[in-house]
Amino acid sequence: MKKTTGFPVAYLFLFLLIKVIAFRVLIFDTKSLATIAFIEFPMWALLLALVLIGVKKRTWLAVWIYNFIVSVIFFTVTLYIRYYSTIPSYYDLQQATQSSSVGNTIAMLANPFDFLFFLDAILVAIFARKWRIHAKPQKLKYMAVAAAALCIATTVYALKQPLIDVSYFAKENGYLQSQAVQLYLRSNETAHASSTKLSLKQLEALKGNEYVELEQQKGFGLAKDRHLFVIQVESLQDFVIGKSVNGQEITPNLNKLLGESAYFSNVFQQIGAGTTSDAEWIANTGLYPQGMIPTVNSLNGKAVPSLPRTLQKYGYGSATYHADDVTFWNRDVLYPVLGYDEVYSTEEIPNIKPVGFGPADEVVFDFAAEKLPKQLDRYDRIYANIVTVTSHTPFIMPEDMQGLDLPAEYEEMYVGNYLQSVHYADEQIGVFIEELKDQGLYDDSLVVIFGDHSGMHGSLVTEEDKALLDKFIGHPYTIKDQFTVPLLFTGGNLFHGIQMDRLGGQVDIMPTILALLGIDHEDPMMGHNLFQYKKNLLGMRYYLPGGSFIQSEQLYKAPGAKFPEVLYDLKSMETRGKNSEAKKHIRDTDTLLNYGDLLLKPYLKN
Ligand code: GP9
Ligand code: MN
């Protein structure tokens, strides 16, 4: 077809401007025209101008490719923030395609209007067949120079701003600027935190405690010489513990175990972008995760002082079990870094009864139970780390695995599916505990059970689900309900139904385990022995805007992409005015997060 009519490039910039406005409104809920005109739009416009100036042949095709890439970015970021409530960085998006289940989740998140981001790509494709691009190169060059000046000024300004929360930063300084700053920080040595080392005394002082020597701490050596079983349960939240629907307990096995456990009911998830793998990292190192990046994506391969390694020194052999491909979340890198003696994934675990990622939990527990006698031959003591996966979003299981008879209102609901899947996980934990008893190991073991992170979050929880959750819990579902995961320490004749509601974090799991086993880790950890210390301070990133904290009396949500800062009373979750204690905790949290980064740094790629 002969192309005769000229097509003013101004329209191309207009399409782009509309798309950028839609993006900002959707992502940040902001219509600030000044930010769009001077910060956000110039970046995207400059790139378009460069395409128009630089590509002499097949200009339409180049423009179309650029438009399409921008559409894909805006579309993906929109879905990502809908699920994770935070802005993704270029490196977060690499994980999105790793698994079919994650793919399904993404498909469930899209709404038809999101596809409007691709409208201009369609229009450009149509015009491209009829018109020639009509542009005055000189004008374009002037425009590019003006846009470049704005881009340089806003990026330089952004580089001088503190990057505490990525979403808030992107809202204030522009999405592309925020990516540029992150890239710069990642490649710049000095960017990772301050170099402030904290002594054990200082660390406890920040949390509000007086340091006590390990040997003098409560619970020290209580489980000395016992085998260790750590069961990390996918998406298990605390609010299901002890609860019933229609006279049926959701977690009857865990509930029964409480009678012979020390149960910490106020423990918060601390994972970042690496979700399950971050929980594995935290529980086995006592360190903070990287936060905005899955920790496993940046590991440099250096051996980290870990739970398996410290236990090794005391004659323990360690094994980890997880029913997924070992390359997911780079576990093929993570596990050698943590130093497990044996690693079992879908390569070894029989592929029977698959649900979601791989074989159902019962297959994994059976497999682990079968391994135990051989390991007992080989090692004095064993540490088995079992990561369940069946209760993973979207929580859909075959009917014969759905053990609860739920009221009609829960049918086909996300909450209903969730309750069914944690009920299933609980059942399999119960079977495994019986197996330990049958093998005569239970009385000689310390068994630790905890949830990796919330299952009920993000836009898959509809208004109807939210109403069901409120009714189920007996009060409006809060971020505290969302972030609290159960943590149980049990084993034969160890505890007699202790329940503690002091604040804990996942970072406290490893120090508490080692204290119970009477073992000193020697290397610094961020957490502490929960039996000893009453007060706590946890720095948050990713699932709460960076700089947020949870402290024994207060929960502070720092300003983020869409919302202003909020301070809550931790017990009642009522909002409070920002008081002097909160201001002190904000400063201490900064110190804590920086110290966390410092401890992490030797194990990360530059
Ligand atoms: C699969 C599983 C993923 O390996 O660990 O869980 P997620 O990180 O999506 O919670
Ligand atoms: Mn998980």
Side-chain angles (χ1 to χ4, degrees), residues 141-158:
K141 281 180 192 158
Y142 288 144
M143 210 204 93
V145 170
L150 277 173
C151 293
I152 292 168
T154 53
T155 308
V156 169
Y157 176 79

Side-chain angles (χ1 to χ4, degrees), residues 83-84 99 101-102 232 234-235 271 273-278 280 322-325 328-329 331 357 387-389 392-393 452-454 543:
Y83 188 66
Y84 291 108
S99 128
S101 274
V102 174
Q232 177 177 314
E234 176 61 42
S235 303
I271 54 151
T275 53
T276 306
S277 63
D278 273 347
E280 291 178 76
H322 179 57
D324 192 9
D325 192 303
F328 191 77
W329 284 135
R331 289 178 170 104
F357 286 88
V387 180
T388 79
V389 75
H392 190 277
T393 182
D452 67 345
H453 53 74
S454 64
Y543 278 96

